[in-house]
Amino acid sequence: MHHFTRHSYAADNPLTRLDARVKLLCALALLVMVLSCKGFVFPLLVAGMCVALCLGMGVRLKLLAVRFAEPLFIAVMVVILKTFFSGKAPLFAVDLLGYEIIGYRDGLAEGCRIASRIAGAVSVVALLGFSTSFTDLMAALAWLRVPRGFIEIALFAWRYLFVLFDDAQVVYSAQKNRLGYVGYRRGLRSFGTLAGTLVIKAFDNSQTVTTAMVQRGYDGTMPMLKQKPFRAAEIILSLLFVVGMGIVWRTI
């Protein structure tokens, strides 16, 4: 939650000052290169570069570890499943409780390629998120002609996620002060009450917000941020970067 409430981690960093549309296009180009790469060196190179840029912007290593924990877990599971359940060339065999488990060389290689793509793609998205505010990113998506309904739903969800989070903190603190989480059964009962309360509050907030927006002239469309003209220096540098990464992608 703390990450989403901040617009950037380093306001004086050149990457955060870059036009959101330029960053979005560069990120999309990198994602295409990472996902279409046949090897695993280029995706890992992109992942290392993105992580280094995140650290250079002041993102804490602990926060990066939390952000990468779930994708890396999925990557590890993919490697394990590919190693033992895919392939034809045996690499090793393990006797476990009378069952012979065989690991395959080509399965391991394919799993490593998929895992590297996961790491590279997640790193690109993380760098884009850390260096771009949510509203700027939504404005860039609107400029890219992403369906307006998707953008409006994302804006509403982003805004009222924090409202529900604040309501949940208030209810949780009240329950905890009344020993609502002492014991397993009482804790489950309190958690169920908390979930039900949040559903009711979300429904009440939706009605209140709808009435307030209609009274203020809401006609079904939300105004977006006005985009500034592109700067020639940003376009040239971004093109050089994408072309350079493309050369590396073709070489490796």
Side-chain angles (χ1 to χ4, degrees), residues 93-102:
V94 178
D95 189 5
L96 182 63
L97 300 178
Y99 294 95
E100 186 180 20
I101 301 176
I102 301 175

Side-chain angles (χ1 to χ4, degrees), residues 4 20-21 23-25 27 125 128-144 146 150-151 155 224-225 227:
F4 288 109
R21 295 168 294 177
K23 287 186 285 188
L24 179 61
L25 292 176
V125 175
L128 180 64
F130 283 125
S131 62
T132 312
S133 66
F134 187 82
T135 52
D136 289 340
L137 183 59
M138 290 297 105
L141 289 175
W143 173 82
L144 203 58
V146 172
F150 171 80
I151 296 175
L155 287 171
M224 294 293 155
L225 293 176
Q227 298 289 354

